[in-house]
Amino acid sequence: MNSKSNKNLIIITEYYPFSAVAEVFLDLEIPYLSKVFNSIVIVPRLLPEEAERVERQLPANISVDTSLVGQKIRRSLSEAINIAINAGKSKYLYSEIFRRPTILQDITSVKKTVCYLYEALRVRNWILRYIEQNNVDLTKTIFYTYWMDSATTGIGMVKHEYNELKLVSRSHGRDLYEERHLPPYIPFRVTTLQQLDHVYLISEHGKTYISERYPYFKSKFIASHLGVRATGFKSEASLDGVLRVVSCSYTTTVKRIHLIIFGLKELGLSRPELEIEWVHIGHGPLQEKIKNCAASQLPKNVVSKFLGFMPNSEVLLYYKHNPVDVFINTSASEGIPVSIMEAQSCGIPVIATAVGGNPEIVLKDVGILISENPSPKEIADALKFFVDHPDDARQLRLNSLINWDNHYNASKNFTNFVNTLKEV
């Protein structure tokens, strides 16, 4: 890696470094950033719930500033009035309505736009104070938002006072794909993109998606994969005739974990002699509902286990000490899941829906890509492959590890990213 620059970096996050769950991928990126930038300040916007809080050891040249931390917007009448008054005073609200008048046809869009602007203005005001109070040398400072959201918009507004300010952002999934939202709209996209120097998309699919919608800003969009570290081991396949399937995700609607259950049900009923074990790693709001669904739907030859939340290090230990035949992802929308990168780094082949960036990482020689909205039979047929074609399954295991090293190796990807970043 190149020697340390004389530049400073300010990273705006949602919860990092205080959450054990959110933005954990930054743990892998931080060491590379710390080696290139003179000093780094991490600025979270929110604090996680007590149960999710964690203390992280950060490199010596990284500090954390909590003065931006605010409360999530409450649903009280007085708070709603305060938000509306503040947003209503801003020229940005009216320019957004002028640019997209259909906002006024839907009260949900109006509320979303106003709340988004309120948070953007809060961040803008904080940045202005921060620059003044800390005498920030903007010629040697880069502002980096981990999500292309209201914080990015707010920092971009500061460019009207300080046009030399440099601003970049990563963009993943929920902050990129408008159809993930109801209504399918993310406020202030043009306003945000106008002020950004670069947007780093975590997948080629994401880069194509935003380029097609906002072609005027195409030169700002850069595909920059995330990555995971080398594990130093290869996961083993089952040797006792049991088909062992693993999934790893939050239990939320977009992850569609119920599709895994119905695919396993179809397989279990069609192959009653086959023993199947499904392990799900992760937790979330639908946890109990998913557990109940599995208990009521799965036949006796399909055993389900829910391990709940596990840190990434424990997930890898599970892969090291337990046989895994295939990893499965049935999401409705994705960037490129780090969970799939982790599986491939351990030599585990993957079944995944053809959504978002999944087709980039689940190539035909490393796994099985199923349709965007697969039927239980399609999922079952994909799982059967690993029972009926053991020689091909072994080759997929080897290819998965090669694919990780070629495209999702943290050392390679983050080294390239930080060297690009410091040249902004």
Side-chain angles (χ1 to χ4, degrees):
M1 182 174 291
N2 294 344
S3 60
K4 189 171 292 186
S5 71
N6 65 347
K7 290 186 177 179
N8 305 311
L9 188 67
I10 298 175
I11 310 175
I12 311 296
T13 67
E14 192 169 38
Y15 294 102
Y16 192 89
F18 297 118
S19 175
V21 179
E23 301 162 318
V24 294
F25 318 131
L26 261 169
D27 283 336
L28 298 172
E29 188 174 315
I30 285 292
Y32 296 90
L33 293 169
S34 72
K35 290 178 182 178
V36 167
F37 287 91
N38 182 49
S39 73
I40 298 173
V41 181
I42 300 175
V43 184
R45 291 164 48 206
L46 297 165
L47 284 178
E49 300 294 332
E50 286 284 353
E52 289 188 3
R53 291 187 193 178
V54 68
E55 289 189 14
R56 284 181 166 86
Q57 293 295 318
L58 297 169
N61 64 329
I62 298 183
S63 61
V64 180
D65 188 321
T66 59
S67 60
L68 179 58
V69 170
Q71 300 296 320
K72 286 188 176 180
I73 294 173
R74 298 181 295 275
R75 296 184 181 273
S76 66
L77 178 60
S78 60
E79 185 71 8
I81 292 171
N82 181 45
I83 291 169
I85 290 173
N86 279 277
K89 294 177 182 178
S90 173
K91 64 181 180 181
Y92 292 101
L93 177 63
Y94 304 103
S95 64
E96 180 74 356
I97 292 172
F98 179 79
R99 185 176 287 119
R100 194 163 182 166
T102 53
I103 294 169
L104 298 175
Q105 298 174 5
D106 178 19
I107 189 61
T108 304
S109 292
V110 173
K111 289 179 179 177
K112 177 189 291 187
T113 303
V114 168
C115 290
Y116 186 105
L117 178 57
Y118 179 81
E119 178 63 9
L121 291 172
R122 186 178 79 87
V123 173
R124 181 200 66 177
N125 294 338
W126 182 89
I127 292 288
L128 287 169
R129 289 194 301 272
Y130 184 88
I131 291 172
E132 183 177 345
Q133 292 170 1
N134 294 277
N135 196 26
V136 176
D137 184 350
L138 293 176
T139 65
K140 295 181 179 180
T141 303
I142 298 170
F143 289 84
Y144 166 28
T145 57
Y146 199 66
W147 304 93
M148 191 170 62
D149 56 11
S150 54
T152 311
T153 309
I155 299 172
M157 292 173 180
V158 176
K159 282 198 172 187
H160 293 293
E161 284 81 11
Y162 298 99
N163 61 9
E164 70 271 35
L165 184 147
K166 297 298 181 184
L167 173 62
V168 302
S169 182
R170 276 203 185 271
S171 190
H172 304 255
R174 61 177 165 84
D175 59 337
L176 173 65
Y177 297 108
E178 298 185 20
E179 60 271 17
R180 280 200 186 186
H181 301 264
L182 288 175
Y185 160 61
I186 299 176
F188 300 98
R189 289 278 91 166
V190 172
T191 301
T192 305
L193 293 172
Q194 282 173 336
Q195 303 301 339
L196 274 160
D197 291 282
H198 293 301
V199 182
Y200 294 93
L201 292 309
I202 67 165
S203 69
E204 290 289 347
H205 182 275
K207 180 182 176 182
T208 300
Y209 175 93
I210 197 169
S211 297
E212 289 176 349
R213 282 158 180 76
Y214 303 98
Y216 183 78
F217 304 106
K218 190 174 182 178
S219 63
K220 298 184 178 187
F221 305 144
I222 301 170
S224 177
H225 288 155
L226 301 178
V228 297
R229 296 188 190 102
T231 63
F233 69 87
K234 289 191 289 185
S235 179
E236 298 296 329
S238 299
L239 299 175
D240 56 1
V242 177
L243 175 66
R244 290 182 171 86
V245 182
V246 171
S247 53
C248 180
S249 71
Y250 293 130
T251 50
T252 55
T253 302
V254 73
K255 299 301 181 181
R256 300 193 303 191
I257 299 167
H258 66 282
L259 293 183
I260 300 175
I261 294 172
F262 289 114
L264 289 167
K265 178 182 179 180
E266 175 82 12
L267 177 59
L269 293 175
S270 67
R271 296 281 183 91
E273 77 288 353
L274 177 64
E275 291 184 53
I276 305 165
E277 180 183 284
W278 168 48
V279 171
H280 182 76
I281 302 170
H283 76 302
L286 299 182
Q287 190 83 342
E288 290 306 313
K289 187 175 182 180
I290 293 297
K291 284 183 179 180
N292 293 335
C293 181
S296 64
Q297 295 295 324
L298 293 176
K300 291 182 179 180
N301 60 324
V302 182
V303 175
S304 61
K305 297 180 181 179
F306 294 86
L307 302 186
F309 167 74
M310 293 170 63
N312 292 66
S313 58
E314 292 184 18
V315 174
L316 295 176
L317 282 175
Y318 181 87
Y319 295 157
K320 182 176 183 179
H321 297 297
N322 297 275
V324 180
D325 296 301
V326 61
F327 182 97
I328 187 166
N329 171 297
T330 54
S331 290
S333 180
E334 286 288 1
I336 294 185
V338 171
S339 60
I340 293 181
M341 298 179 202
E342 289 176 337
Q344 290 189 350
S345 74
C346 300
I348 300 172
V350 177
I351 296 170
T353 44
V355 299
N358 280 355
E360 292 174 41
I361 188 168
V362 186
L363 307 172
K364 64 180 181 180
D365 61 342
V366 302
I368 298 176
L369 204 63
I370 53 180
S371 62
E372 292 185 19
N373 297 292
S375 66
K377 185 178 185 305
E378 185 179 358
I379 295 170
D381 287 345
L383 290 167
K384 283 178 187 177
F385 177 90
F386 294 90
V387 178
D388 297 340
H389 304 279
D391 291 339
D392 292 332
R394 278 191 289 274
Q395 188 60 50
L396 291 182
R397 300 184 78 85
L398 294 173
N399 293 347
S400 289
L401 192 59
I402 294 169
N403 189 58
W404 159 77
D405 187 45
N406 287 341
H407 301 290
Y408 303 100
N409 184 318
S411 178
K412 298 176 182 178
N413 290 357
F414 291 133
T415 297
N416 291 336
F417 171 68
V418 297
N419 285 331
T420 301
L421 190 61
K422 74 176 183 179
E423 299 302 327
V424 172

